[in-house]
């Protein structure tokens, strides 16, 4: 059995010039995952975890108490490090500058969706945490700027998620494949359980909120119909599975094969999911696992961001399924 810590140290040894900063950040994220795991697993036993916080975030969403707890846990864990210069989050209006001597000279920035699938938390359905790590592009010795956060996803140095499901797993990539670690609460350790795993090229599961069907682009409607037609050769009809948490649907599709779609619709003209801390980190993982991620037409990782909380339509999962959905989007829009 190999712990996450041992794995990080082992991988770092492959980069003799590495100063250990990224390893240190990943260790911090490990701690954040353990704290949020603990809070989620005792949520119903105290009054200060479940329910709404009573205010809205910059997205116009009513924040759950656990959105804020998860965000603050992440922020404070990173502030305690020497290696992080700035932080951006779904739950923070603006990016945060770690404006200390250490922060100004740190090389990395982190973006996060601290609690993904918030609507599930009060009903005991799985949720997640998503993170995305870049090297800063602004000069060392100065505070980070917006430019550091406006990098395309293809510049990420690492990304990952924690899925708080029937078990808690941390899954991440640093650009050399994807590895999954399952949390053993009796040890307090994340242990390597899914080494260098790949997403099946095809699958029989599609995930989309069909309640918005009437507002979907024609290409999405045509693809859904394709998924539902009988065809033994292509193993259709497929199964529809939609959990309401991107991390949970994506994790299942990573293991079993499948596609998750959150398209543009009149409610969300550019889709609901946020490019910087949902689309990009999951797209990096999908591609590292042999899958694809697009906005229906172009690679998510090549999109040049213009705003911190910009939204993007997301078609992500098994390569053959995303390519088929893109065919319908190209033909029907
Ligand atoms: P978050 O909870 O971080 O705001 O993200 C929720 C996202 C995604 O996780 C999920 O798949 C999707 O919103 C669900 O949206 P709908 O309820 O509109 O289907
Ligand atoms: Mn939210
Ligand atoms: Mn989310
Ligand atoms: Mn969230």
């Amino acid at each position: 059995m190999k712990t996450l810590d041992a794995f990080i140290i082992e991988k770092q040894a492959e980069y003799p010039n590495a100063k250990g900063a990224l390893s240190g950040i990943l260790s911090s994220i490990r701690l954040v995952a353990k704290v949020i795991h603990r809070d989620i697993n005792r949520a119903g036993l105290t009054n200060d975890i479940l329910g709404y916080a009573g205010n809205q975030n910059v997205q116009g969403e009513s924040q759950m108490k656990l959105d804020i707890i998860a965000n603050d846990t992440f922020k404070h864990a990173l502030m305690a490090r020497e290696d992080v210069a700035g932080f951006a989050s779904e739950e923070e209006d603006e990016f945060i500058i770690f404006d200390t001597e250490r922060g100004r000279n740190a090389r990395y920035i982190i973006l996060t969706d601290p609690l993904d699938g918030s609507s599930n938390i009060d009903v005991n359905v799985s949720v997640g945490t998503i993170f995305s790590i870049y090297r800063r592009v602004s000069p060392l010795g100065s505070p980070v700027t917006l430019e550091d956060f406006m990098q395309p996803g293809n510049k990420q140095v690492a990304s990952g998620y924690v899925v708080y499901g029937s078990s808690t797993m941390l899954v991440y990539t640093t650009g050399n494949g994807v590895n999954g670690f399952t949390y053993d609460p009796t040890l307090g350790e994340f242990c390597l359980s899914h080494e260098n795993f790949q997403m099946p090229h095809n699958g029989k599961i599609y995930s989309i909120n069909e309640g918005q069907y009437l507002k979907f682009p024609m290409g999405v409607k045509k693809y859904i119909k394709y998924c539902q037609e009988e065809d033994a050769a292509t193993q259709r009809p497929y199964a529809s599975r939609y959990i309401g948490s991107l991390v949970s649907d994506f994790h299942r599709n990573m293991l079993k094969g499948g596609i998750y779609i959150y398209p543009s619709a009149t409610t969300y003209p550019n889709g609901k999911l946020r490019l910087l801390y949902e689309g990009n980190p999951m797209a990096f993982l999908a591609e590292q696992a042999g899958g694809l991620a697009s906005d229906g037409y172009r690679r998510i990782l090549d999109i040049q961001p213009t705003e911190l909380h910009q939204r993007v339509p997301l078609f992500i999962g098994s390569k053959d399924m995303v390519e088929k959905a893109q065919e319908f989007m190209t033909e029907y829009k």
Side-chain angles (χ1 to χ4, degrees):
M1 176 180 66
K2 190 175 292 180
T3 65
L4 175 57
D5 246 5
F7 183 86
I8 290 172
I9 291 165
E10 189 181 284
K11 289 300 170 194
Q12 186 194 315
E14 295 169 14
Y15 301 90
N17 300 327
K19 296 181 176 61
L22 184 56
S23 301
I25 292 168
L26 291 169
S27 289
S28 287
I29 292 172
R30 174 179 57 100
L31 174 63
V32 171
K34 288 163 82 169
V35 170
I36 297 174
H37 163 89
R38 178 204 61 198
D39 289 349
I40 285 173
N41 282 277
R42 64 186 185 90
L45 303 174
T46 68
N47 295 325
D48 52 1
I49 293 184
L50 292 181
Y52 288 97
N55 43 337
Q56 280 201 344
N57 61 15
V58 67
Q59 328 280 339
E61 299 168 345
S62 300
Q63 281 181 311
M64 307 297 288
K65 289 177 194 166
L66 203 58
D67 278 326
I68 297 172
I69 293 168
N71 181 71
D72 294 354
T73 300
F74 217 125
K75 184 167 52 177
H76 298 140
L78 294 176
M79 280 172 152
R81 295 218 57 86
E82 315 227 344
D83 323 298
V84 180
F87 171 79
S89 162
E90 178 197 355
E91 307 305 336
E92 301 280 353
D93 296 10
E94 305 297 336
F95 65 91
I96 308 248
I97 300 170
F98 290 174
D99 201 3
T100 61
E101 180 61 28
R102 298 183 317 190
R104 285 191 290 276
N105 286 288
R107 297 174 185 280
Y108 294 97
I109 60 162
I110 318 284
L111 299 101
T112 184
D113 174 359
L115 189 69
D116 175 66
S118 311
S119 60
N120 288 342
I121 193 64
D122 282 8
V123 294
N124 203 15
V125 172
S126 64
V127 293
T129 296
I130 309 172
F131 62 89
S132 172
I133 304 177
Y134 291 83
R135 277 190 198 79
R136 65 186 291 181
V137 292
S138 57
L140 286 181
S142 59
V144 287
T145 64
L146 181 61
E147 186 198 10
D148 290 307
F149 294 89
M150 292 290 105
Q151 299 182 60
N154 57 37
K155 298 288 188 199
Q156 289 174 99
V157 294
S159 79
Y161 59 82
V162 186
V163 52
Y164 311 96
S166 46
S167 70
T168 290
M169 274 192 71
L170 190 152
V171 176
Y172 80 96
T173 182
T174 56
N176 299 300
V178 180
N179 291 282
F181 301 79
T182 299
Y183 186 55
D184 181 339
T186 64
L187 300 176
E189 290 284 3
F190 281 93
C191 302
L192 183 62
S193 54
H194 297 68
E195 184 161 13
N196 196 22
F197 73 99
Q198 291 286 289
M199 188 190 304
H201 268 202
N202 212 334
K204 298 185 282 186
I205 296 171
Y206 70 99
S207 305
I208 191 167
N209 180 348
E210 297 197 53
Q212 304 204 29
Y213 179 85
L214 297 179
K215 302 172 191 160
F216 287 157
M218 184 51 72
V220 172
K221 290 180 179 174
K222 293 284 187 184
Y223 179 66
I224 291 174
K225 186 169 176 303
Y226 169 83
C227 293
Q228 294 171 343
E229 284 164 350
E230 291 281 349
D231 182 320
T234 54
Q235 300 184 315
R236 288 177 286 143
Y238 296 156
S240 169
R241 292 283 184 280
Y242 191 67
I243 301 171
S245 151
L246 165 65
V247 169
S248 309
D249 280 312
F250 180 79
H251 183 70
R252 182 204 54 245
N253 293 343
M254 279 278 267
L255 296 175
K256 290 190 162 183
I259 185 170
Y260 171 101
I261 302 176
Y262 207 110
S264 61
T266 44
T267 327
Y268 296 105
N270 294 313
K272 176 184 181 185
L273 299 179
R274 284 58 55 123
L275 174 63
L276 293 190
Y277 39 81
E278 289 171 313
N280 277 335
M282 302 311 259
F284 189 22
L285 287 159
E287 292 197 2
Q288 282 290 312
L292 283 182
S294 89
D295 65 356
Y297 307 101
R298 57 186 168 150
R299 189 174 174 240
I300 290 288
L301 294 180
D302 290 339
I303 296 175
Q304 174 55 50
T306 52
E307 288 168 33
L308 201 56
H309 299 291
Q310 76 182 71
R311 299 177 192 265
V312 67
L314 187 62
F315 295 66
I316 189 167
S318 293
K319 183 172 176 299
D320 297 355
M321 298 180 86
V322 174
E323 284 174 347
K324 175 58 77 177
Q326 286 184 157
E327 285 173 23
F328 285 104
M329 291 304 288
T330 304
E331 185 174 353
Y332 295 99
K333 299 285 178 270

